[in-house]
Amino acid sequence: MEDTQSVATLMDSTTSKIQQLQKAFAELESYRAVTLNLKWKQLEEHFQGLEKSLKRRYTELEDQEKEYETKTMRARDMLEKREAAVMAKEYTSLEKLQEKRDAAVSAIANAVQKHRKVSFPEPAVVSSEDQGGAPIVEEKPPDAMTAENNCEGMRKYFANEIPEVKAYPQLVKLCQEMDSEGLHKFISDNRKSLAAIREEIPTALKASGDPASLILDSLKGFYSMEVSNMDGKKDPNLLGLRRTCIMLMECLSIVLTNLDPSFVSNVITGNIKERAKAIAEDWKPKLHDLDVDANNGNSLEAHAFLQLLATFGIDSDFDQVDLSKLIPMVSRRRQTADLCRSLGLSEKMPGVINVLVNNGRQIDAVNLAFAFELTEQFSPVSLLKSYLTEARKNSSPVKSGNTSPTVQNEVNERELTALKAVIKCIEDHKLEEQYPLDPLQKLVLQLEKVKADKKRATEVAKPQPKRPRANGVGHAPRVTNFVADKNFYARVTDRYPQYIYDKPYVYHGHTDAHVPSLLGSAAYTVPPSHGKFFGNGFQYQATYLH
């Protein structure tokens, strides 16, 4: 407004300045012999034209300003009307939501009341020969009556929801018969088709009268009494069984997720929760003995314990701080993020990621940071660069006088594995723009070339076997470095554990019911821990299925 007034004042003073200029020009003309009247008229017309132009422009600007103010007022009025309409719709929606909520609460109350009526014990009439056939009334235990009613209710509930299991109808039969051992045997016998079986298990569980009890029965062999904790790490049958136990609990979680919330309490009853809690209390002390797999973030025992709490909803009976300490033990398993959310541990994840970083497991830290949207607090690129720096530090070449070819090969293998792990992490999370792959891929090619050259040199240095004699009797070749080479390859495999979800699934079944195939397969080989870096390598092979 002040600028407008100043412009108007300047325009008003234009006429007086022209008059002053005319006087000055007349005075100047008096000193000249030649008249300047003609030139003054031209100047006067020019200045008057400028004055009119300025006044016209000023008037136009004032009109535009008034028009802008009018449009602004209209826009404000329109916004206020829209805001009032939105508030009215919101209020109407809240009223409708409240009505639906009241109706749902009423329905739940009616269902609970009906359930209580059905739960009362009913007398059963049994004839007695001692009393001449006089009826004797016997009462069934309330728990037995409730269990029977729940089973019957679940069968009726699922009757219209169970689609036909075309590929493996045997699963439905096993679930109907509550045969947990048969279920384990069936999965073991068909382990090559585990992906298809996993898809059909949730459907088959609906055919069971008590799916939660069936799953709890399937956990009996998780800790075999005949196998010690360390021997269990090497027993392929036990490892396969444990993976199947975890898969079955996950399938039950899928069933519960798709259920009507008002019906979940009929599946996970108080009795079921008590059984699950007893199993969890029995498993919990055994977690203190975990070492190798736990340090590598690939502990089946810790995973099964957390899955048990999440599936049966008993996590509130355990301390969240203690549960969060188990997350680094399962950080490499693909279900970790979902487990943490189910157990309400999302707020604990910054502390968990800090633990992983401090233990040199930056790859796991990056994966969890993306899963819980903590990348601003934990920079993925910084973590990956620090991981490679630490890898190079641990893989730095030592003095040639004290280094054998086997040790040098292990050093190169560690750095190569770390580079491949970082490259895969960058590709998985699409960090190529922030962390270019070309320099890393060139390093991988260089290290692979060095590795191939050393392998060829080793093969050339080995003595060639002699040809067998004509009579069939030959001499075995003299190999002096066989033991060293064998140990080298075993150590390299063990020293760099794989992500569990990048492993092929191998299940050998029960020793008393199956002939174990793939005996000694490396799919379940448990690597030893080798400090910060040695437990951080990754190899990527076939997809892990569960």
Side-chain angles (χ1 to χ4, degrees), residues 177-238:
E177 296 175 352
M178 300 290 289
D179 187 358
S180 60
E181 292 184 3
L183 191 59
H184 270 285
K185 181 180 183 302
F186 180 82
I187 294 173
S188 172
D189 293 342
N190 297 275
R191 57 186 174 272
K192 293 182 180 179
S193 304
L194 189 64
I197 292 176
R198 179 185 175 86
E199 294 294 328
E200 294 195 351
I201 288 177
T203 303
L205 286 176
K206 294 180 180 180
S208 171
D210 191 356
S213 181
L214 174 62
I215 299 303
L216 288 177
D217 291 341
S218 71
L219 304 180
K220 291 179 180 178
F222 192 87
Y223 284 98
S224 177
M225 300 300 294
E226 295 81 9
V227 181
S228 64
N229 191 30
M230 292 307 299
D231 292 338
K233 305 292 184 184
K234 303 176 183 179
D235 186 353
N237 299 319
L238 182 58

Side-chain angles (χ1 to χ4, degrees), residues 50-338:
L50 289 176
E51 182 180 8
K52 291 178 181 179
S53 176
L54 287 173
K55 287 183 178 181
R56 184 176 62 255
R57 183 59 181 163
Y58 177 73
T59 304
E60 292 176 356
L61 289 175
E62 280 186 333
D63 295 339
Q64 290 179 1
E65 183 178 4
K66 291 179 181 179
E67 184 180 359
Y68 174 76
E69 290 178 354
T70 304
K71 289 182 179 179
T72 303
M73 292 298 294
R74 290 177 181 174
R76 287 178 182 175
D77 294 339
M78 188 179 298
L79 288 175
E80 290 177 357
K81 290 180 181 179
R82 288 184 180 179
E83 185 177 0
V86 170
M87 291 180 67
K89 289 182 180 179
E90 184 178 357
Y91 182 74
T92 304
S93 300
L94 288 175
E95 286 184 345
K96 292 181 180 179
L97 180 62
Q98 185 63 38
E99 291 176 359
K100 292 182 180 180
R101 186 180 300 171
D102 294 339
V105 171
S106 178
I108 292 172
N110 293 334
V112 171
Q113 187 175 1
K114 291 179 181 179
H115 177 71
R116 288 177 180 175
K117 290 180 180 179
V118 175
S119 299
F120 286 123
E122 297 180 0
V125 179
V126 180
S127 62
S128 174
E129 296 179 357
D130 297 338
Q131 298 181 4
I136 296 177
V137 178
E138 291 184 359
E139 291 186 356
K140 293 184 178 181
D143 293 341
M145 290 292 298
T146 303
E148 291 179 5
N149 291 327
N150 284 343
C151 292
E152 187 64 25
M154 278 183 277
R155 288 192 180 97
K156 291 180 179 179
Y157 182 84
F158 290 127
N160 298 325
E161 294 191 1
I162 303 177
E164 183 181 358
V165 179
K166 297 180 180 180
Y168 300 97
Q170 301 94 323
L171 285 173
V172 175
K173 182 179 179 182
L174 291 170
C175 292
Q176 288 175 338
E177 296 175 352
M178 300 290 289
D179 187 358
S180 60
E181 292 184 3
L183 191 59
H184 270 285
K185 181 180 183 302
F186 180 82
I187 294 173
S188 172
D189 293 342
N190 297 275
R191 57 186 174 272
K192 293 182 180 179
S193 304
L194 189 64
I197 292 176
R198 179 185 175 86
E199 294 294 328
E200 294 195 351
I201 288 177
T203 303
L205 286 176
K206 294 180 180 180
S208 171
D210 191 356
S213 181
L214 174 62
I215 299 303
L216 288 177
D217 291 341
S218 71
L219 304 180
K220 291 179 180 178
F222 192 87
Y223 284 98
S224 177
M225 300 300 294
E226 295 81 9
V227 181
S228 64
N229 191 30
M230 292 307 299
D231 292 338
K233 305 292 184 184
K234 303 176 183 179
D235 186 353
N237 299 319
L238 182 58
L239 292 174
L241 183 143
R242 287 177 174 177
R243 286 179 169 84
T244 301
C245 289
I246 294 173
M247 182 185 70
L248 291 174
M249 287 191 286
E250 291 175 346
C251 291
L252 178 60
S253 295
I254 295 173
V255 174
L256 296 175
T257 302
N258 296 327
L259 276 181
D260 187 336
S262 63
F263 195 77
V264 173
S265 59
N266 292 341
V267 180
I268 307 297
T269 62
N271 184 32
I272 290 294
K273 284 192 174 184
E274 289 299 325
R275 285 184 59 190
K277 185 178 178 182
I279 295 174
E281 293 289 354
D282 182 53
W283 287 3
K284 186 178 179 181
K286 298 175 182 178
L287 299 178
H288 299 303
D289 299 331
L290 302 179
D291 47 13
V292 176
D293 284 348
N295 292 334
N296 293 333
N298 183 24
S299 171
L300 286 175
E301 295 90 338
H303 183 182
F305 178 79
L306 295 173
Q307 188 65 57
L308 177 67
L309 304 188
T311 299
F312 293 93
I314 56 175
D315 52 287
S316 59
D317 296 324
F318 296 86
D319 185 16
Q320 279 200 331
V321 176
D322 293 338
L323 296 182
S324 64
K325 292 179 181 178
L326 297 177
I327 301 303
M329 299 182 184
V330 297
S331 58
R332 286 188 182 170
R333 302 188 68 78
R334 62 174 175 80
Q335 306 93 331
T336 301
D338 291 336

Side-chain angles (χ1 to χ4, degrees), residues 423-437:
I423 289 173
K424 187 176 188 305
C425 188
I426 293 172
E427 292 175 344
D428 289 344
H429 300 296
K430 299 179 180 179
L431 297 171
E432 291 87 346
E433 293 183 1
Q434 304 175 43
Y435 200 163
L437 289 177

